[in-house]
Amino acid sequence: MTVSKDVSGGVALWRRIADAIRLDIVGGKLASGDRLPTEAFLAERFSANRHTVRRALAVLAEEGVVGAEQGRGTFVRSARRLSYPIGRRTRFREGLKGQAASLVSQGLSHRIENATAAVAAALGLKPGAKVVRTESLSIADGRPISRSTTWLPYRLFPDFAERIARLQSTTAVFASYGIADYARASTRISARHADVEETKLLGLAPGAILLVSEAVDVDSEAIPISYALSRFPAERMELVV
C-alpha cells in the first residue's frame, strides 16, 4: 500500500491530517457533537486523496476522538480535556481536584542509577552521582493521562520508591523526609508524537500528540529535590501556565 507523504518533512500525510483535526478540537474550533467537514473538503484542504483522509479519520476514531454516523457524517465524540494548572506551587492531585471521579497513580518501576549530564544539571549534582529513578502512570476515570519519569538525589531520598508505594503521594513522601513544602523552580513544555512504548501504555493510536513537561522542584532553601519528565496525551489534557 502506498502512503502519501508530506514532501517538506517526510511525515505521512494521513498523520498530518489527523494532527490538524486534533488541534482543531484541542484549540476549540470543534466541540463535542460538531460535525467534521466532508471527506471531499478535507481532501481539498490537505491536497490529499480520500483514501488518505479516511485513514486519518480511522486513527481518530480508534482514539475515540471522532465517530462516523451512517448517512450523517463524522462527528466529534469527546472534546473534554482535563486542565492541569502549572505554577509556583504545582501539585498534580490538587490541580485535577473536582475534574475526575477517580485518580490513580500506578508505579511501573524504580531503580538506582548514575545521573546523566542533563539529570545532574537539573538537580545540581555532579554527573554520575547516584539518583533514584521512578516510572509511573496516572489514570483518571479509567483513562491514562500521564506517563512520568522522576529523578531524585539518592543522598536525600534513598528509599523514596518504597515510601511512594506506601503513601501514594509525593507531597506526603517529602513531608516524611521533613520537607514541609516545596515549589516549582522551572517548567519547560514541548510537544511531539508518542513513541511505541508511550502509545501502548497511554492507550493511544499511532501518531498521537503528547505534551511534554520537564519540571524541577526545589525545597524552601531552593535546593533541587526532583526532576520530572511527564508526557500527557494532548487530546485528554491541557496544561495551563
Side-chain angles (χ1 to χ4, degrees), residues 42-85:
L42 292 172
E44 182 177 354
R45 173 184 172 186
F46 295 101
S47 300
N49 58 50
R50 291 198 180 189
H51 175 79
T52 302
V53 170
R54 289 191 191 107
R55 183 173 182 183
L57 294 177
V59 168
L60 294 174
E62 287 178 17
E63 296 176 11
V65 176
V66 304
E69 296 184 12
Q70 187 67 32
R72 297 190 64 221
T74 302
F75 294 80
V76 178
R77 287 297 185 219
S78 175
R80 176 180 177 268
R81 292 177 297 153
L82 300 181
S83 182
Y84 179 39

Side-chain angles (χ1 to χ4, degrees), residues 15-209:
R15 176 175 289 181
R16 188 159 65 86
I17 295 170
D19 288 348
I21 295 173
R22 285 192 197 97
L23 290 174
D24 284 347
I25 295 171
V26 169
K29 292 182 180 179
L30 292 169
S32 295
D34 284 354
R35 183 168 61 185
L36 267 62
T38 64
E39 288 183 2
F41 179 92
L42 292 172
E44 182 177 354
R45 173 184 172 186
F46 295 101
S47 300
N49 58 50
R50 291 198 180 189
H51 175 79
T52 302
V53 170
R54 289 191 191 107
R55 183 173 182 183
L57 294 177
V59 168
L60 294 174
E62 287 178 17
E63 296 176 11
V65 176
V66 304
E69 296 184 12
Q70 187 67 32
R72 297 190 64 221
T74 302
F75 294 80
V76 178
R77 287 297 185 219
S78 175
R80 176 180 177 268
R81 292 177 297 153
L82 300 181
S83 182
Y84 179 39
I86 295 176
R88 179 65 176 166
R89 194 176 187 279
T90 300
R91 304 290 185 269
F92 192 68
R93 286 184 177 275
E94 287 182 16
L96 298 180
K97 188 175 181 180
Q99 299 184 60
S102 67
L103 183 60
V104 177
S105 181
Q106 177 183 336
L108 300 176
S109 66
H110 68 271
R111 66 174 181 265
I112 308 301
E113 64 182 24
N114 296 325
T116 64
V119 171
L123 292 174
L125 304 172
K126 292 182 179 180
K130 278 188 177 183
V131 291
V132 178
R133 174 175 175 163
T134 66
E135 306 282 352
S136 62
L137 183 71
S138 294
I139 303 170
D141 294 338
R143 293 195 311 168
I145 58 169
S146 174
R147 166 78 168 91
S148 297
T149 305
T150 303
W151 292 269
L152 309 100
Y154 176 80
R155 63 181 178 80
L156 297 179
F157 312 105
D159 60 344
F160 180 90
E162 290 77 9
R163 297 197 193 193
I164 193 69
R166 184 177 74 254
L167 299 174
Q168 294 292 304
S169 164
T170 299
T171 300
V173 172
F174 284 152
S176 73
Y177 282 106
I179 300 173
D181 198 13
Y182 59 100
R184 178 62 52 89
S186 66
T187 303
R188 176 178 296 177
I189 300 172
S190 59
R192 61 171 173 79
H193 291 288
D195 64 23
V196 174
E197 185 257 4
E198 292 161 343
T199 297
K200 181 178 179 181
L201 272 177
L202 292 168
L204 304 172
I209 298 174

